[in-house]
Amino acid sequence: MFPRPIGLASRQVQIAYRVALTGALLVWIAPLAAIVLTALRPQEDLLAGNYWGLPSRFAFFDNYVAVFSDPRMLRFFLNSVVIAGVSVAGVVVLSTMAGFALAKYRFPGRTALLALFIGGNFVPSQVLMIPVRNLVVTLGMYDTIWAIVLFQTAFQTGFATLFLRNFIITLPRELFEAARIDGAGEWQVLFRIVIPLLRPALAGISVLIFTFVWNDYFWALALVQSDRQKPITLGLAGLRGEWLAAWNMLSAAALLAALPPVLLFFVAQRQFVAGLTSGAVKR
Amino acid sequence: MPAHPMRRPDPQKLMPLLLLLAPLSLFLLMVVLPIFQSLWISFYDWDGMSAARWIGLGNYRELLADDRFHQSIRNNILWLLLFLLSPVLGLGMAIFLSQDVAGIRIIKSLFFVPLVLAHVVIAIVFIWFYDPAFGPLSLAAQALGLGAVAVLSDPDIVSFGIIAAGLWSQTAFCLVLYLAGLSQIDRDQVEAARIDGAGGFRLLYHVVLPQLRAVSFVATIVTIIGSLRSFDFVAIMTQGGPFGSSSVLAFQMFEATIFSYRSGYGAAIAVALFAIMSVYIAWFLRRTVLADETAD
């Protein structure tokens, strides 16, 4: 085992480790703790200069009432839900097809295609921005959430294809041969064998893609303008300019923007980590 | 004339074509083709709306003489160098957290959280930490008698302040990778080395790190590419200011295209950024795809 298990060390060392662990955790999540604490602080505290002490009263619900009294807030949130949700659905369908094709069929250019999907994923957004903007203007989708959905579905399909292809390639060959001997057609192999086995991988990739799309700022900035179409990341950045001194409201709104990915992460941490580390760690 | 006019298309050949048709077309249209279009646009003087005028390498000549471009490059290099701390920190933290004590699972999860936070959320927290009037950093400096510090409006330190925000989530990413890597270390090798008297850093350097080579490669290269892609933190925290001192290529491109209506010039900046990044992308592809081919 590396590092040496702390259980083998002396009692003093074990206690020291626990203290250090707690200390490190507190420092590491201090920024997050600051947001949470401020989201439940009343406005009076901020006006009185109490930024970092304990809140004088519990104003969590007051702050969220204030945040949602701005009707744009709910709109931003729902836009993000639709953008991320629809993109995930599109990516899952497209990358299952592409991943299956690249994993189980031999054809010329197969490796080049895989490299294209992986490489495309690392391309800087800026080199795509002008042509993609022009394209969505031509399609009449500029300044709609669908412009973001369209781009994200295409872009995230690259990473998802790599991920699913790596998963499908590990499925035993005999499974496919047996199915073909039984007379199953190519589509039946996909639907009856691959997709049911793929379920955990699909859960993992969905969680990852949802988080990537939910957290995106650049493409929202590039493709939408009006408040009705903004996702919560872009909306939040705009509210910062308006709620200048209302850090309690801004924190409450930031917490709301952070919540869905954080919740999903805690629910599906195993799949999330597996997705993120696929390729880096032996499969 | 085909040799077998009656033969039906081979499903083994037709199937991948059918499967790849939709995903590949969309990917080509939205990700691959735009790269070439941007390259093409970079040879024009174009405001994004009216007729474009061909100026050949004019935009690139202008870039070479543009002080702002030099500043962006310098900042991108600073981002890259400081971002390389995150694999090191991530490895250190992963070793520190690889212990089987009560509650370690939830503690690890909390350490991962910055990874799933939107950059906008992180940027807001750090703006607040750096506030000269009431931010904890400035309060601490005042308590030490150093006076108020305004990180985000001081051209000398602004980039360091922004990069620190980026490092927080990047280090969480490297931590996740290294934790996964450490959990797969070959125990027998480690125990054998211990019996031979190796411990501490020697064990780490000679036995553990070689086994983590693939993880280290991915962590490093993804970190480098991430440092070059940095846009969100700069755009939200400073808009490249004060006086362009915190600008990076990605942000300068956006500014030129959207705020200054210079699509041609913006495209040239994007192409320059892509050219720099393509070195690392190619390196990554060579390692991953080649490794994959030999494994087949």
Side-chain angles (χ1 to χ4, degrees):
Chain A
M1 285 290 276
F2 185 88
R4 191 185 289 278
I6 202 85
L8 301 177
S10 69
R11 182 134 186 88
Q12 286 91 328
V13 171
Q14 291 192 29
I15 293 169
Y17 177 73
R18 297 247 36 149
V19 172
L21 193 60
T22 312
L25 179 64
L26 288 179
V27 171
W28 187 249
I29 61 163
L32 198 63
I35 290 199
V36 174
L37 209 61
T38 311
L40 45 85
R41 189 185 294 286
Q43 178 89 45
E44 315 84 91
D45 279 18
L46 298 173
L47 296 174
N50 177 12
Y51 286 98
W52 309 104
L54 285 177
S56 63
R57 67 185 171 82
F58 183 77
F60 186 75
F61 297 106
D62 296 357
N63 286 337
Y64 275 99
V65 169
V67 163
F68 279 108
S69 69
D70 188 328
R72 290 173 301 175
M73 200 61 211
L74 186 62
R75 170 55 50 194
F76 294 154
F77 190 85
L78 293 178
N79 282 343
S80 278
V81 171
V82 173
I83 292 169
V86 178
S87 301
V88 166
V91 168
V92 162
V93 172
L94 292 174
S95 57
T96 302
M97 298 198 297
F100 180 50
L102 291 173
K104 286 295 166 194
Y105 294 93
R106 307 199 144 266
F107 54 92
R110 188 171 77 130
T111 309
L113 274 186
L114 182 67
L116 191 73
F117 278 125
I118 307 172
N121 202 51
F122 287 125
V123 164
S125 304
Q126 287 73 27
V127 84
L128 311 179
M129 184 183 93
I130 300 171
V132 168
R133 258 170 78 99
N134 292 345
L135 180 68
V136 299
V137 168
T138 311
L139 294 173
M141 293 166 98
Y142 180 73
D143 199 20
T144 69
I145 57 171
W146 304 110
I148 307 176
V149 169
L150 178 67
F151 178 79
Q152 291 286 10
T153 303
F155 186 76
Q156 306 291 352
T157 290
F159 174 74
T161 296
L162 166 70
F163 176 71
L164 294 181
R165 173 235 180 231
N166 285 349
F167 189 90
I168 296 170
I169 226 167
T170 61
L171 300 178
R173 192 185 294 263
E174 296 77 31
L175 222 56
F176 294 87
E177 281 163 6
R180 291 209 176 100
I181 289 166
D182 288 347
E186 304 298 312
W187 290 99
Q188 281 175 316
V189 170
L190 175 60
F191 282 102
R192 299 250 176 92
I193 297 178
V194 176
I195 291 179
L197 290 171
L198 212 53
R199 236 175 254 151
L202 290 176
I205 200 69
S206 301
V207 174
L208 268 181
I209 302 293
F210 186 93
T211 303
F212 293 158
V213 176
W214 180 281
N215 287 346
D216 163 70
Y217 176 73
F218 179 79
W219 286 102
L221 191 63
L223 300 179
V224 302
Q225 261 185 328
S226 51
D227 278 340
R228 285 195 59 79
Q229 307 292 333
K230 286 179 182 170
I232 198 162
T233 45
L234 192 58
L236 188 61
L239 289 177
R240 192 172 73 81
E242 296 176 34
W243 297 349
L244 278 175
W247 278 101
N248 53 329
M249 282 168 69
L250 200 59
S251 297
L255 211 55
L256 194 70
L259 197 64
V262 171
L263 274 185
L264 260 185
F265 173 72
F266 275 100
V267 171
Q269 185 179 337
R270 215 161 39 87
Q271 288 87 340
F272 190 98
V273 169
L276 212 59
T277 55
S278 71
V281 183
K282 272 188 223 105
R283 327 182 253 280
Chain B
M1 281 299 287
H4 304 282
M6 292 298 288
R7 195 176 67 181
R8 297 171 67 191
D10 179 358
Q12 288 280 338
K13 290 213 172 100
L14 190 63
M15 192 66 180
L17 207 68
L18 288 176
L19 286 169
L20 281 165
L21 193 64
L24 187 60
S25 323
L26 195 62
F27 198 75
L28 288 175
L29 180 69
M30 305 293 289
V31 182
V32 180
L33 182 65
I35 298 172
F36 296 98
Q37 289 171 308
S38 280
L39 181 65
W40 185 245
I41 293 169
S42 75
F43 298 127
Y44 284 88
D45 179 18
W46 187 36
D47 61 8
M49 290 161 282
S50 40
R53 189 168 60 89
W54 175 269
I55 53 169
L57 293 174
N59 285 322
Y60 292 96
R61 267 194 293 274
E62 187 182 340
L63 266 188
L64 291 180
D66 181 352
D67 286 341
R68 182 67 184 277
F69 181 68
H70 300 154
Q71 182 64 38
S72 298
I73 295 255
R74 272 198 296 276
N75 282 335
N76 268 127
I77 294 172
L78 186 68
W79 271 84
L80 193 155
L81 292 177
L82 289 178
F83 251 46
L84 287 174
L85 286 173
S86 62
V88 181
L89 291 172
L91 173 63
M93 285 165 54
I95 294 172
F96 179 64
L97 292 176
S98 287
Q99 291 294 350
D100 202 6
V101 296
I104 195 73
R105 271 183 56 107
I106 184 78
I107 291 173
K108 280 181 191 169
S109 305
L110 287 169
F111 268 92
F112 297 163
V113 165
L115 179 64
V116 291
L117 291 182
H119 289 171
V120 181
V121 174
I122 297 176
I124 285 177
V125 184
F126 274 81
I127 289 170
W128 198 18
F129 265 49
Y130 293 145
D131 189 284
F134 57 78
L137 195 74
S138 190
L139 291 180
Q142 281 165 325
L144 292 172
L146 299 168
V149 258
V151 176
L152 297 181
S153 44
D154 182 337
D156 293 329
I157 53 174
V158 60
S159 282
F160 291 94
I162 304 173
I163 293 167
L167 268 177
W168 192 42
S169 66
Q170 190 64 34
T171 303
F173 170 74
C174 294
L175 170 66
V176 170
L177 286 188
Y178 276 116
L179 271 176
L182 279 176
S183 71
Q184 298 197 348
I185 291 287
D186 183 346
R187 288 170 178 221
D188 296 344
Q189 275 194 37
V190 173
E191 293 316 321
R194 279 224 173 89
I195 291 166
D196 289 345
F201 280 102
R202 260 173 22 108
L203 183 64
L204 174 67
Y205 190 78
H206 292 290
V207 181
V208 177
L209 278 184
Q211 291 191 50
L212 291 174
R213 204 171 282 153
V215 177
S216 296
F217 175 75
V218 172
T220 306
I221 205 110
V222 172
T223 296
I224 290 174
I225 292 173
S227 75
L228 293 170
R229 290 176 73 159
S230 58
F231 171 90
D232 297 357
F233 292 112
V234 174
I236 298 160
M237 293 172 80
T238 62
Q239 294 269 304
F243 317 114
S245 57
S246 63
S247 181
V248 288
L249 291 176
F251 183 75
Q252 194 189 351
M253 180 278 168
F254 186 81
E255 197 181 40
T257 309
I258 303 293
F259 299 149
S260 313
Y261 299 102
R262 300 194 61 201
S263 287
Y265 196 54
I269 300 170
V271 169
L273 175 61
F274 181 55
I276 297 169
M277 283 177 57
S278 57
V279 176
Y280 299 101
I281 299 174
W283 188 15
F284 184 83
L285 284 179
R286 239 191 68 156
R287 281 283 295 253
T288 49
V289 179
L290 275 189
D292 220 277
E293 280 308 283
T294 46
D296 258 7

